[in-house]
Amino acid sequence: QKAMGFCRTKSNVKEEGKEKAVFLRKKITLVRAIALTIGTIVGSGIFITPKGVLKNSGNVGLSLIVWLACGILSLFGALSYADLGTSITKSGGHYIYLLETLGPLPAFLRLWAEFIMIRPANIAVVSLAFGRYLIEPLFAPCHAPALAVKLVTVTGVSLIIALNCWSVSWSANIQTVLAFLKMVTIGLIIVPGMMALAEGHYENFQNAFDTRSLSLDKLPLAFYSGMFAYGGWFYVNFVTEEIINPERNIPLSVIVSLLIVTLGYLLTNVSYYTVLTAEEVLASEAVAVSFTDRAFKSISSAIPVLVALSCFGSLNGGIFAAARMLFAASREGQWPPLFSLIHSRRNTPLPALLLMLPLIYLMVLIGDLYGLLNFYSFSRWLFIGLVTLGLIIHRYRHPEVPRPFKVPLFIPLVFTISSLFIVGMSLYSDPVNTGIGCAITLTGLPVYYLVVQKSRIPASCSAMFNSMTVKLQVLMEVIPQEIQTY
């Protein structure tokens, strides 16, 4: 540890005559795991992406099929990740699974893309939706100024980072409460929609499969929007080491969560189309608000606040889980060692959480929701497809590895083929944004070969880096995991 630049902090003192180990505690029960999964899946997606799914699928009927297909694909992916999570019992999600199945280079490229592009862009998309829904009612009937939205967005993200730095239990408890509120919000959309449907309002479903606006080359972008709305089913695998009885609770949490979310998403979209025409959905900047203005005016003022809280919960869950990937990579030696340290009193990965802030702020300033969505989706789904491919390869290379939860191979095979097909087609559908995403991912290659693999950092730079690490360690009161304090 001295070679890595670690030192003891002042908080490393004997507490009440007992030694206290510093590590990430197992505090995530089955209920909290379900809340984390539902809470990260149900965020801004169901409230902003119906427009993107409809626009790129071309008609109402096909858009509903896309929503169902995305739910089934997400379940297949989640079951594959549950297989990996119960056999490779480290935190870190995508990164750890790629490292263990396909090797260090794909794992590092995933880590690089996560830090440089995927995580900041994803958080920016959700947080901008949070900011817009929270202050839009204050400026009605006009649109809220872009600067005001971004200021609220930055404040919300900063608050969530601070919360996660402060306490794992607080973050988990807030996530549980917000997951319940998310389902209430979806229920407030489903109920009036189903009531209108029961009264015979089928007119918006006539010619549901009208092919006049159908464009098959745009269909992958519809799947990107749909899969974004389901994104979050993998976050429970980021915190494997903090889950109580992961062999049981990881599979149960993803199965229960995705069945609930898929049904909820389908009914929500049916409700949207029962009350709003396809043209009104495409013209709306906030579909949920347009829906309640038409169907349920008495609660229309509450919906934006509930949607904002839904986005807040998704941000909280995503940031809570994503910091564990940087923490795991640092522990594996592919990221600066500072980020494998734990706060000595709060047992939270403080450096890994703080690292995410600067690029998140940058993406928020960019502010283009759909551009950001296509921008990072290429790399995100490419590597998720590679993870499930890695599961298949790992099965053949290591048949002796115990697998408490084992899925049939056709499940990861279908998910892998679907993910890689969508990724490949997106290069044709939106070559600019996906091309930029691909190029940024590949910038990780020289970093890997020059720094990570070859360790070609000059001795003087290494000494300076170690000195800086020690100073930051003392400033943040962080120490290595499972170090005993005296």
Side-chain angles (χ1 to χ4, degrees):
Q1 291 167 4
K2 288 180 181 178
M4 297 173 72
F6 295 141
C7 72
R8 292 194 175 280
T9 65
K10 293 180 181 179
S11 61
N12 294 352
V13 296
K14 194 171 184 179
E15 294 188 11
E16 299 178 1
K18 297 181 180 179
E19 293 182 346
K20 181 183 177 184
V22 178
F23 55 91
L24 297 176
R25 311 282 178 176
K26 285 185 177 290
K27 293 187 175 182
I28 301 178
T29 61
L30 175 60
V31 173
R32 285 178 171 179
I34 292 172
L36 173 63
T37 308
I38 291 178
T40 48
I41 293 176
V42 183
S44 61
I46 189 59
F47 308 113
I48 64 172
T49 59
K51 176 179 176 178
V53 174
L54 178 60
K55 178 181 177 181
N56 291 302
S57 59
N59 57 60
V60 169
L62 189 56
S63 73
L64 292 175
I65 292 174
V66 168
W67 280 104
L68 177 61
C70 287
I72 294 171
L73 273 178
S74 297
L75 180 60
F76 278 18
L79 292 173
S80 302
Y81 269 59
D83 185 319
L84 286 164
T86 54
S87 56
I88 302 172
T89 55
K90 295 180 181 180
S91 293
H94 319 299
Y95 167 78
I96 284 295
Y97 303 150
L98 285 169
L99 184 67
E100 297 288 339
T101 61
L102 298 183
L105 177 57
F108 179 78
L109 289 178
R110 178 63 177 85
L111 174 71
W112 182 258
E114 175 78 16
F115 169 61
I116 294 295
M117 174 177 52
I118 297 173
R119 184 55 39 207
N122 178 264
I123 291 175
V125 169
V126 180
S127 60
L128 283 165
F130 161 78
R132 180 164 297 281
Y133 271 100
L134 190 62
I135 68 168
E136 194 80 44
L138 302 178
F139 293 89
C142 302
H143 290 300
L147 180 60
V149 171
K150 290 176 182 179
L151 286 174
V152 172
T153 296
V154 166
T155 303
V157 170
S158 302
L159 178 62
I160 292 169
I161 292 285
L163 174 67
N164 278 271
C165 289
W166 186 260
S167 170
V168 171
S169 293
W170 282 20
S171 298
N173 290 336
I174 288 173
Q175 191 68 16
T176 302
V177 173
L178 292 176
F180 173 75
L181 286 177
K182 290 169 189 280
M183 302 317 296
V184 170
T185 306
I186 288 179
L188 290 174
I189 294 172
I190 291 173
V191 170
M194 294 300 103
M195 290 171 61
L197 202 62
E199 292 171 359
H201 293 282
Y202 305 112
E203 56 272 12
N204 292 341
F205 293 98
Q206 295 176 0
N207 300 317
F209 290 93
D210 184 3
T211 58
R212 285 177 296 177
S213 55
L214 179 63
S215 180
L216 292 179
D217 64 325
K218 295 293 183 183
L219 200 55
L221 300 182
F223 273 89
Y224 269 175
S225 293
M227 294 298 277
F228 166 76
Y230 283 99
W233 50 261
F234 40 74
Y235 281 130
V236 73
N237 294 77
F238 282 51
V239 295
T240 302
E241 295 171 40
E242 297 168 76
I243 296 176
I244 298 169
N245 192 6
E247 294 81 6
R248 169 182 176 269
N249 289 342
I250 289 177
L252 272 177
S253 63
V254 296
I255 291 169
V256 171
S257 300
L258 275 163
L259 289 177
I260 291 172
V261 171
T262 302
L263 179 61
Y265 277 11
L266 281 173
L267 292 177
T268 300
N269 276 280
V270 169
S271 294
Y272 284 152
Y273 293 131
T274 301
V275 174
L276 303 173
T277 65
E279 291 75 18
E280 288 171 329
V281 171
L282 291 173
S284 175
E285 291 294 326
V287 179
V289 174
S290 300
F291 172 87
T292 50
D293 283 344
R294 177 73 60 83
F296 220 169
K297 289 186 177 181
S298 60
I299 62 164
S300 60
S301 60
I303 286 294
V305 176
L306 289 172
V307 173
L309 288 174
S310 176
C311 295
F312 189 88
S314 184
L315 286 169
N316 181 57
I319 289 172
F320 177 87
R324 272 64 179 175
M325 179 187 286
L326 299 175
F327 169 83
S330 177
R331 194 171 56 182
E332 297 292 334
Q334 286 198 330
W335 207 247
L338 176 66
F339 299 100
S340 66
L341 304 185
I342 303 294
H343 194 275
S344 57
R345 288 176 287 110
R346 307 212 170 273
N347 300 305
T348 57
L350 184 69
L353 285 161
L354 295 178
L355 178 67
M356 293 188 286
L357 270 177
L359 282 173
I360 293 172
Y361 291 157
L362 177 62
M363 296 289 182
V364 168
L365 289 175
I366 294 172
D368 178 9
L369 287 178
Y370 291 103
L372 286 171
L373 182 59
N374 294 338
F375 166 66
Y376 80 82
S377 290
F378 169 83
S379 293
R380 184 185 214 184
W381 294 107
L382 170 64
F383 284 109
I384 289 176
L386 289 178
V387 168
T388 51
L389 175 63
L391 168 60
I392 298 169
I393 294 171
H394 197 255
R395 284 272 192 94
Y396 280 106
R397 287 181 179 173
H398 303 283
E400 77 285 355
V401 173
R403 298 183 184 278
F405 180 77
K406 189 174 182 178
V407 297
L409 278 178
F410 86 91
I411 288 179
L413 182 63
V414 169
F415 184 82
T416 301
I417 292 171
S418 301
S419 295
L420 297 182
F421 176 75
I422 292 170
V423 164
M425 285 296 294
S426 70
L427 282 169
Y428 173 75
S429 303
D430 188 1
V432 175
N433 280 315
T434 53
I436 293 172
C438 179
I440 291 176
T441 301
L442 293 177
T443 60
L445 283 172
V447 178
Y448 175 78
Y449 282 109
L450 293 176
V451 179
V452 177
Q453 190 186 50
K454 301 297 183 183
S455 298
R456 295 180 178 177
I457 301 176
S460 59
C461 293
S462 181
M464 183 177 66
F465 180 77
N466 285 340
S467 175
M468 186 184 302
T469 297
V470 171
K471 291 176 181 177
L472 288 172
Q473 182 192 350
V474 173
L475 178 66
M476 292 188 284
E477 297 185 38
V478 290
I479 58 177
Q481 187 179 19
E482 296 184 345
I483 290 295
Q484 298 298 312
T485 59
Y486 298 96

